[in-house]
Structures are given as structure tokens and as C-alpha cells.
Amino acid sequence: MNLDDLKTSWNTIDAKLQNSQLLSEQMVLSMIRSQSNSTVSRATRKLRNVTLFFSGLLVLFGAILSGNPFDYTQWFEYVPTALYALVVIAGLKVVISANKAITGVLLVKSNLRESLQKVIYIQQRYQDTMDNVWKISMVAGFLIGVSLLVRNFDSYGLTKWLLIVAAQALTVLVLFGIAKFIFSQFPDRTLSDLQMHLSELEELGQ
């Protein structure tokens, strides 16, 4: 075999290796895209479920405000319940906006990295915002409890009334601490999966 034949054979082998590597990368890229779409679909399903939950809460607090099942007699007794309803409306708006934003992102091979980065940003912003909504809702819930105690102020007396309010505040703080600890131990799987898909893309050099 002369030198020209050797070069031709080498070039042929090299071309086959390059084509094989390119095919493997395309297969892996398609798999990452499929997994990413599955993760995004799971995220949107969760958002739709949260939307239904907040819609139910909004109906509940609307019924409380209109039906007055707690027998409020003073206007200020309605304030905590109205505040909670506003928090629910804000939370509902956040969830719907996040769902719309994520649904609007198309995960295609040509811009898969940018699309994943955008979805991750939306998911992180949504979680941060909902964390604040959750904190405010706990304060509003505490105030609802206080509003129910106002009518019994005269019968309880100042000392007993303050002790009950302090016990309620302590309960809210303990529940908040427990919930925060649990959430820290079990991070959002959707976000971690999206970040994993992005890392896999970076390893491919995409």
C-alpha cells in the first residue's frame, strides 16, 4: 500500500469516526431534550394543580367575607380575612404568570441551553416569590386568629388575652421553622432536574 492509499484509508476511517461521534452526540442531545420536555411538563402540571388550590382558597375566603360565618360585628374584624384573600389573589397571579411563561418556552435543539436557562430562571423566581407569599399568608392567618379573639377581650382580661395571642404567635413561628426545615431537606425536584439537564448539555459542549 503506497502513501496515497494510506492517506485515503486514514481519511475514510477518520470521517467515519467523526460521523459516529456526531451521531452519538445528536442521540444524547435528543435524549436530553426529551427528558427536559418531560421535566417541564411535570412543572406545568404542578403549577396547574397549585392554580386549582389557590382558586379553591379564593372561593373559600370570598364565601367567608360574603357570608360572615365567624359573626364579625366590627369592620376591622374583616381586615385579616380580606388581607388573606388579597394574598391568595397575588399567589394565584404569580402561579398563572409562571405557568404562562414556562409554557411559552420552546425546547428545541437549536437553542436548548438558552431555553433551559430561561425555564430555570422562571422556576427560581417563582419559588422565591411564592416563598414570600407563603410567609405573608402565615401572618394573615395569625391575624385572623387574633381577630376572633378580639370579641372575647373583656371576658378574658388583658393578661389572658395577651397570653393566648403570644401562644398563637409562638405556634405560627414553630410551624414556620418546621416547614422551612422540611423544605430545605427536600429541595424542588423539578428545579434540580432542570439544572442537571443543563449540566449535561454543558458537558457535551452544546
Side-chain angles (χ1 to χ4, degrees):
M1 179 180 291
N2 57 36
L3 183 59
D4 291 336
D5 292 337
L6 185 61
K7 287 182 178 180
T8 302
S9 298
W10 175 255
N11 290 334
T12 302
I13 294 173
D14 185 57
K16 289 182 179 180
L17 288 174
Q18 289 181 359
N19 290 334
S20 177
Q21 182 179 4
L22 181 60
L23 181 61
S24 297
E25 289 181 355
Q26 290 298 320
M27 291 177 63
V28 173
L29 185 60
S30 296
M31 185 174 63
I32 294 174
R33 176 176 174 270
S34 177
Q35 292 174 342
S36 299
N37 274 311
S38 177
T39 303
V40 170
S41 296
R42 187 171 71 244
T44 54
R45 283 196 301 270
K46 286 183 179 180
L47 289 172
R48 285 194 294 268
N49 291 336
V50 175
T51 300
L52 292 175
F53 173 73
F54 272 95
S55 298
L57 281 180
L58 186 58
V59 172
L60 173 63
F61 281 96
I64 291 175
L65 289 171
S66 60
N68 191 21
F70 298 130
D71 297 324
Y72 293 141
T73 57
Q74 303 293 331
W75 66 268
F76 55 82
E77 293 179 293
Y78 287 91
V79 173
T81 304
L83 174 62
Y84 209 118
L86 291 175
V87 173
V88 171
I89 292 173
L92 188 59
K93 183 179 179 181
V94 170
V95 176
I96 293 175
S97 298
N99 189 30
K100 183 178 179 181
I102 291 178
T103 305
V105 179
L106 298 178
L107 298 179
V108 295
K109 290 182 181 180
S110 59
N111 66 340
L112 188 55
R113 178 201 289 264
E114 291 79 6
S115 299
L116 279 175
Q117 289 174 338
K118 185 179 295 185
V119 174
I120 289 172
Y121 171 75
I122 295 170
Q123 188 71 12
Q124 288 177 329
R125 186 178 61 180
Y126 160 74
Q127 289 184 349
D128 292 340
T129 306
M130 288 306 294
D131 184 55
N132 292 328
V133 170
W134 176 58
K135 291 175 182 177
I136 297 173
S137 70
M138 294 193 72
V139 174
F142 166 72
L143 292 176
I144 290 176
V146 172
S147 70
L148 295 175
L149 290 172
V150 169
R151 69 191 66 179
N152 298 317
F153 180 79
D154 292 335
S155 59
Y156 285 159
L158 178 61
T159 302
K160 184 177 180 180
W161 188 84
L162 288 176
L163 287 174
I164 294 175
V165 171
Q168 286 187 341
L170 181 61
T171 301
V172 171
L173 289 174
V174 170
L175 290 175
F176 173 77
I178 293 174
K180 189 173 182 180
F181 173 77
I182 293 175
F183 289 150
S184 66
Q185 298 300 310
F186 300 96
D188 183 67
R189 181 185 168 188
T190 300
L191 185 58
S192 60
D193 285 351
L194 289 171
Q195 291 170 336
M196 180 185 67
H197 300 327
L198 184 59
S199 298
E200 290 173 346
L201 276 178
E202 292 174 348
E203 291 176 359
L204 281 177
Q206 297 292 327

